[in-house]
Amino acid sequence: MRSRLRSTFMTMLLGVALAEGAALAEPAQEPAEAALRTAPQSAASALRWTEELSTGEGTGELVRTREGLRYEPYAVARRPEGQFKLTGLYTFPARTLAQPVDTIRPLLQAELALGKAVEVDVRVRTAGGAWSEWRTSSAGEAVSLPVAGTEVQVRLALVADDHGRGPLVRDVKLEGSLEGVSPQGEMSTLAALSYRVYATREGLVGYTTANGHVIKSSDRFVALPSRRALASNGGTEYQVRICYAVTGKCTTTSVWDVGPWNTKDDYWNVSSVREMWKDLPQGKPEAQAAYQDGYNGGLDQFGRRPANPAGIDLADGTFWYDLGMSNNDWVTVTYLWTTGGGTPTGLVIDSNNTHNDTTRGYIELSANWISATSTAGYYGSGYYYASTQAISDPATFWFYLPAAATKTIDAWWTAGTNRSTTAPFVVWNASGTKLATVNVNQQLNGGKWNTLGTWSFTAGWNKVQVSRWTTAGANVIANAIQVR
């Protein structure tokens, strides 16, 4: 009887009660549709919608069946540290609601057994165009967003048991409301938070990251021990700037994986917001506290003893080439989204083509442009500069659009007193029509995204050029553009 009970799935509503221990209770007697009607009634003003399981994106271990979405991670390779329980993420497209919401309650139908779980992550786009951090409902409870907004996105986290068997999600419904209650301490800092943490090399070439990216040799990304700041596959929503004092090198890159050691340790957040380990100082990773101070009995979230105090993992290209590291070491990390403005979601074309997916975007320039890292605040691993004179000789950022679309263009540069106050950014569509020339003052606003404007582009290879043709006696900077 006991073995039969353990193997019995339980269909339940994740807006009412989702707990691993409940898997040993009696199976629901009513059909799933009836169970939905037993959920607590929300206010009449609540917005309700259904996420279609056919529209989301996830890794190959998430399989769509006639019954629903099933997680089957039988062949997933485990990281040596990080994800102790295998978790598959499935992200639905962003959705624009009819009115602002700051609270979202998930109402799911899923089949679970002991050791399996389904969590729901939600984020909201802020007034500045950036995404907030993801917030998680782990037992069907309502999620309070840091700000109210009309554009939201939902992500499922399906957790497998110790035998690699995952849950089945049949239906995803949500309710959103405006309750005027947001967590304190978020989206309020005037400058991005920076902390000195221990960095380790991730490696794991051929493995798949938490967001579905297959790790390549010389890859460039980082892992943080919380999926609250996990960007989409290829995305730049959550970025860090890392500086290594030994070599004097810095680089900016995106968060594409979860680890090391813990998976719910957003240590950059204040205690009122931090998901776990709320009694630790802000900026101190739990693995560091466990390793150095014996915190939590010297163990991580899963009862393991950390082999190092790591608070960030670096992909090989970031570790070896961009920072010049040869061994694990302490670095200074700036968590760029923590200003509250964050990093708008988009396609970034860097001045270093090794950082670009050249099927989507790349830079093209002549030998007259000089590579440099001497001025702080650059995006990626460096930037290019050239003197101003009566010749175009542009640095050209190409980007491909499969269909005509209206896009906003942002630019990143390093600021300095020798920069041009009228640096020309020339915007063209794929048909060869010049859409605009935008002159910017590159003595100001360095080290961040600056919006150039919004235009309607045609299908094909469009471009943004940084021209040298402006008032002589200065330099113009070509560092990176973003298309969103």
Side-chain angles (χ1 to χ4, degrees), residues 81 198 200 261 287 291 298 304-310:
E81 36 72 18
Y198 194 76
T200 51
W261 303 111
Y291 183 85
R304 302 167 301 181
R305 192 168 299 279
N308 54 56

Side-chain angles (χ1 to χ4, degrees), residues 20-225:
E20 292 185 4
L24 292 178
E26 289 296 322
Q29 299 300 311
E30 293 182 311
E33 290 76 8
L36 273 175
R37 291 194 293 271
T38 70
Q41 295 300 308
S42 300
S45 60
L47 299 174
R48 299 175 178 84
W49 71 93
T50 299
E51 298 289 356
E52 298 296 334
L53 291 173
S54 60
T55 63
E57 293 185 352
T59 60
E61 295 78 33
L62 289 158
V63 182
R64 298 189 190 101
T65 70
R66 264 189 281 182
E67 295 178 299
L69 180 71
R70 187 179 293 278
Y71 182 41
E72 298 179 345
Y74 301 107
V76 175
R78 292 179 183 268
R79 287 180 51 137
E81 36 72 18
Q83 296 278 37
F84 183 70
K85 280 184 170 290
L86 295 176
T87 303
L89 299 181
Y90 193 75
T91 307
F92 296 101
R95 175 183 297 271
T96 301
L97 304 176
Q99 62 192 48
V101 299
D102 62 11
T103 303
I104 293 179
R105 180 183 297 277
L107 304 169
L108 274 65
Q109 292 176 358
E111 288 186 358
L112 302 175
L114 185 63
K116 303 178 185 180
V118 180
E119 297 180 334
V120 180
D121 298 338
V122 184
R123 64 181 179 178
V124 60
R125 195 182 291 276
T126 68
W131 287 108
S132 72
E133 288 187 0
W134 294 96
R135 288 294 174 261
T136 300
S137 170
S138 57
E141 73 274 13
V143 176
S144 294
L145 300 172
V147 294
T150 57
E151 188 174 358
V152 300
Q153 191 166 27
V154 176
R155 182 173 70 187
L156 300 181
L158 290 78
V159 181
D161 63 20
D162 293 339
H163 300 286
R165 298 172 300 199
L168 171 73
V169 176
R170 296 184 181 275
D171 189 60
V172 181
K173 287 183 168 59
L174 299 107
E175 292 183 349
S177 57
L178 186 62
E179 300 183 8
V181 179
S182 295
Q184 298 298 311
E186 293 183 277
M187 316 297 289
S188 59
T189 56
L190 297 177
L193 299 171
S194 294
Y195 296 105
R196 184 173 180 266
V197 298
Y198 194 76
T200 51
R201 172 180 162 258
E202 178 163 347
L204 302 178
V205 173
Y207 281 55
T208 300
T209 65
N211 72 355
H213 171 74
V214 178
I215 301 175
K216 305 185 297 292
S217 176
S218 303
D219 231 337
R220 288 164 165 93
F221 66 87
V222 303
L224 292 177

Side-chain angles (χ1 to χ4, degrees), residues 349-351 377-379 382-384 397 412-414 477-481:
I349 300 96
D350 189 28
S351 55
Y378 51 81
Y379 184 93
Y383 59 93
Y384 282 93
F397 293 93
W412 188 298
W413 58 79
T414 58
I477 306 300
N479 190 174
I481 69 162

Side-chain angles (χ1 to χ4, degrees), residues 13 37 106 110 119 124 138 157 221 242 245 259 263 266 280 285 295 303 314 329 338 388 447 482:
L13 177 65
R37 291 194 293 271
E119 297 180 334
V124 60
S138 57
F221 66 87
I242 314 158
T263 63
D266 50 324
L280 285 177
Y295 178 84
L314 310 180
D329 206 350
T338 58
T388 55
Q482 180 170 227

